[in-house]
Amino acid sequence: QVQLVESGGGLVQPGGSLRLSCAVSRYTLDYYSIGWFRQAPGKEREGISCISSTLTNYADSVKGRFTISRVNAKNTIYLQMNSLKPEDTAVYYCATLLACDTWNWLSWGQGTQVTVSS
């Protein structure tokens, strides 16, 4: 059964950091790649990062600032977000994919709000 539960969002000042967490089922971790996408009001969904057993990838908009990681023992995926900008404000979703070479989302959690503002 696929389960994804995000946490860690909040309000942060520009230049600050947040770490998002995604708790997943063992089944999800074993059979899917896991990624993050975000959606801001009035904007299209944007894939920002993905991790599989063999690779990670990032959108150009977050490369060098965000880091995705996984801790298998905790069934958890993390997204460390540094040097946050106001344009990073969005609802962030953890989601499953078959592979990290395309932003083809299969299922996702309820989302967590990230607001970057002074």
Side-chain angles (χ1 to χ4, degrees), residues 6-109:
E6 303 95 336
S7 61
L11 173 65
V12 63
Q13 292 186 343
S17 299
L18 280 175
R19 188 178 76 162
L20 305 183
S21 300
C22 177
V24 303
S25 65
R26 189 70 214 181
Y27 170 85
T28 301
L29 205 59
D30 287 344
Y31 287 97
Y32 295 97
S33 297
I34 309 292
W36 293 88
F37 68 84
R38 64 189 181 187
Q39 190 155 25
K43 294 188 177 180
E44 292 188 355
R45 181 181 297 177
E46 179 188 12
I48 57 175
S49 188
C50 180
I51 187 167
S52 70
S53 59
T54 57
L55 63 89
T56 60
N57 69 359
Y58 300 92
D60 289 342
S61 59
V62 305
K63 200 170 293 183
R65 300 189 298 123
F66 292 10
T67 303
I68 193 170
S69 61
R70 57 191 282 173
V71 178
N72 291 344
K74 294 185 177 181
N75 292 348
T76 302
I77 305 295
Y78 299 100
L79 185 68
Q80 177 67 43
M81 306 186 296
N82 299 329
S83 302
L84 284 161
K85 306 174 182 180
E87 51 264 43
D88 293 318
T89 296
V91 179
Y92 284 69
Y93 297 87
C94 175
T96 57
L97 311 89
L98 290 179
C100 285
D101 55 354
T102 61
W103 301 122
N104 186 14
W105 312 103
L106 301 176
S107 58
W108 48 91

